[in-house]
Amino acid sequence: KQEVTQIPAALSVPEGENLVLNCSFTDSAIYNLQWFRQDPGKGLTSLLLIQSSQREQTSGRLNASLDKSSGRSTLYIAASQPGDSATYLCAVIGSGNTGKLIFGQGTTLQVKP
Amino acid sequence: DADVTQTPRNRITKTGKRIMLECSQTKGHDRMYWYRQDPGLGLRLIYYSFDVKDINKGEISDGYSVSRQAQAKFSLSLESAIPNQTALYFCATSDPGLAGGSYNEQFFGPGTRLTVL
């Protein structure tokens, strides 16, 4: 059974720092991995999607990497801003592309001015 | 306008009542999903539908039922609500990526906060 773990559960950094959020999964046979952002009481916003054949994806100050063999993904946020404060979730879809996302518990990020 | 909408956004009900949560999408996606989010348990899949005639149970379907009325509409029902169904409910859609290269990226609605007293 696929399990997704995110470490740390919470992170507080000063504005301007570069930071890394970690995601690990137990079954390396995945179809894709998706990173989301969730603001308190709000829905999920898709940030980046990495296909199983890809190593990384970039969008603005965000860069997500994928190492299937080790069951790990990282989300790198450059030059963090207070507006980046939110919970970041990673989720994987199994290799059969069933569409069923398995989520981690999330990392809650606070960026202090 | 939002691509994935959910109604109602908030609902308080009593134990034993029947509740329907509705989801509509304008993304033209065939696949739709219902998840619930609980503190400490994360998001879990309740039901999913690959098209109007294809509906499947997810991880936690007991106590729930769904209806796919059209490609754009997917409803979740609680036949007899109980307090442990208090949660934040999300609808999501995706394109399977066979032609569009989207690789099943999922897009979520704003959520419905349901409280069962």
Side-chain angles (χ1 to χ4, degrees), chain A residues 34 46, chain B residues 1-5 23-32 68 71-73 91-96 102 105-109:
Chain A
Q34 198 167 349
S46 179
Chain B
D1 289 340
D3 295 317
V4 184
T5 58
C23 176
S24 295
Q25 53 112 348
T26 59
K27 298 186 77 67
H29 289 166
D30 285 326
R31 295 186 172 185
M32 298 186 74
R68 184 82 183 266
Q71 187 206 36
K73 296 184 182 296
C91 173
T93 75
S94 71
D95 182 304
S102 62
E105 183 176 7
Q106 292 196 18
F107 298 90
F108 280 70

Side-chain angles (χ1 to χ4, degrees), chain A residues 69-98:
Chain A
S69 62
S70 66
R72 294 180 182 179
S73 176
T74 61
L75 179 66
Y76 175 83
I77 303 177
S80 59
Q81 303 170 359
D84 294 329
S85 298
T87 296
Y88 291 81
L89 297 159
C90 78
V92 300
I93 290 178
S95 59
N97 192 15
T98 61

Side-chain angles (χ1 to χ4, degrees), chain A residues 6-102:
Chain A
Q6 292 185 247
I7 295 174
L11 183 62
S12 181
V13 301
E15 181 177 5
E17 272 204 7
N18 302 323
L19 56 100
V20 174
L21 307 182
N22 296 295
C23 173
S24 62
F25 45 96
T26 54
D27 185 350
S28 62
I30 64 170
Y31 180 76
N32 68 28
L33 183 145
Q34 198 167 349
W35 281 94
F36 295 90
R37 168 186 173 138
Q38 185 177 25
D39 293 286
K42 305 289 186 179
L44 280 67
T45 300
S46 179
L47 297 174
L48 290 164
L49 179 143
I50 309 178
Q51 303 162 38
S52 62
S53 59
Q54 295 178 322
R55 297 282 295 185
E56 66 177 343
Q57 282 285 340
T58 298
S59 176
R61 293 183 294 109
L62 305 179
N63 175 277
S65 67
L66 174 64
D67 183 343
K68 270 193 2 175
S69 62
S70 66
R72 294 180 182 179
S73 176
T74 61
L75 179 66
Y76 175 83
I77 303 177
S80 59
Q81 303 170 359
D84 294 329
S85 298
T87 296
Y88 291 81
L89 297 159
C90 78
V92 300
I93 290 178
S95 59
N97 192 15
T98 61
K100 294 189 287 184
L101 279 171
I102 307 297

Side-chain angles (χ1 to χ4, degrees), chain B residues 54-111:
Chain B
D54 184 0
I55 293 177
N56 305 278
K57 293 183 178 180
E59 183 184 358
I60 52 165
S61 59
D62 287 348
Y64 301 94
S65 63
V66 291
S67 173
R68 184 82 183 266
Q69 301 94 327
Q71 187 206 36
K73 296 184 182 296
F74 192 34
S75 300
L76 176 72
S77 294
L78 288 67
E79 297 301 325
S80 180
I82 56 177
N84 76 1
Q85 292 177 315
T86 294
L88 189 54
Y89 289 84
F90 289 106
C91 173
T93 75
S94 71
D95 182 304
L98 297 177
S102 62
Y103 297 97
N104 224 355
E105 183 176 7
Q106 292 196 18
F107 298 90
F108 280 70

